Amino acid sequence: MAKKSAQVQSVSDIFRVNPGSMDLAALDPAATPIGPRSKEEAAGEVARIGEELDELQEALFAEGVGGGRRRVLLVLQGMDTSGKGGTIRHVLGLVNPHGVRVAAFGRPTPEERSHDFLWRIRRQVPPPGYLGVFDRSHYEDVLVARVDGLVPEDEWRRRYALINEFEADLVEQGVTLVKCFLHISPEKQKERLLARLEDPLKQWKYDPADLAARAKFSAYREAYRDALARCSEAAPWYAVPADRKWYRNWAVASLLLGALRDLAPRRPAPSYDPEVELARLRDADPLR
Ligand code: AMP
Ligand code: MG
């Protein structure tokens, strides 16, 4: 058990972004700095992580039923094909879907646009006891909004501080944020986009706009670097190497497990006397 905790601890240390020295170019998207060495090994480890995650998530849910306010919010960001959807499927698929709330953020609707950029985000914050997942998030408002010039520069620059305030509020309300940047190389992205276009079963995932975003890969790198460096105040960012799907899934599962272990959620004590209830149950025959 001690060995397991030590491992999870170093997983978060290894992937945690140091806001003072952010250099995405120096991070190898295919790296496997810790943990499983192969897809097979990763599958075994993820299965074990899943059992513990499931147990802890149920405890968190129970704590919420008992009036606890704590919850977890996994924020997934990354370029197209970085594997946000695959991570949700493989990692969140390890726990009871009843306790999970997934929210995906695409281009804002006219209604969403008529409010401040955090309006639609606030509405999707998981309730107490839940494990929430954001597939894209409020960070798009300092990423695509900046790269595509959707708002003037002074507007997106103001947002870093607003995001820090918003996240500090969440933390105050009992939300543990696990923010993962899925770091993918342009070469791997090309491979996955080709696969999407060539496979009729995957074509629905492709969006011609993906190529426009891909053409701005370096501008996105810069925007990601600033977002990760400037918005690590209330909760750290983790940069997860995402060129290998099995490694990405293992890493995010490990980070989530670390967060839940740190929370150590507790099932509430019953509000009744189990001995009394057991006696009542044993004595009563409903058909008599
Ligand atoms: P997908 O995640 O593949 O469904 O794509 C969602 C699209 O919505 C991406 O192109 C995002 O850049 C875009 N998007 C998400 N949030 C925003 C936002 N706040 N402003 C503009 N575009 C956004
Ligand atoms: Mg897409």
Side-chain angles (χ1 to χ4, degrees), residues 172-284:
E172 187 79 11
Q173 289 163 41
V175 180
T176 294
L177 285 151
V178 181
K179 302 185 291 185
C180 294
F181 165 57
L182 306 182
H183 185 42
I184 189 185
S185 66
E187 296 75 27
K188 184 56 75 172
Q189 187 191 49
K190 183 170 189 176
E191 199 182 292
R192 292 186 185 163
L193 286 173
L194 281 170
R196 280 185 186 181
L197 278 168
E198 287 167 358
D199 180 350
L201 295 180
K202 288 185 180 169
Q203 283 167 351
W204 68 273
K205 286 195 198 181
Y206 180 83
D207 178 346
D210 293 352
L211 282 192
R214 176 175 163 76
K216 298 173 186 165
F217 215 96
S218 1
Y220 270 104
R221 278 251 159 115
E222 235 174 275
Y224 267 108
R225 186 202 54 215
D226 285 350
L228 273 55
R230 289 169 193 219
C231 299
S232 285
E233 282 180 15
W237 267 103
Y238 298 102
V240 171
D243 270 11
R244 301 174 207 259
K245 294 176 181 175
W246 56 266
Y247 194 75
R248 172 204 76 204
N249 292 339
W250 171 83
V252 176
S254 300
L255 290 167
L256 203 51
L257 177 59
L260 274 155
R261 277 188 184 167
D262 286 349
L263 278 179
R266 293 172 60 165
R267 293 170 176 79
S271 57
Y272 53 85
D273 182 343
E275 291 305 325
V276 171
E277 297 304 308
L278 273 169
R280 284 178 63 207
L281 176 64
R282 287 188 182 119
D283 291 350

Side-chain angles (χ1 to χ4, degrees), residues 59-70 128-129 266 268:
L60 180 67
F61 192 84
E63 186 181 281
V65 169
R69 300 168 71 228
R70 301 192 298 172
R266 293 172 60 165

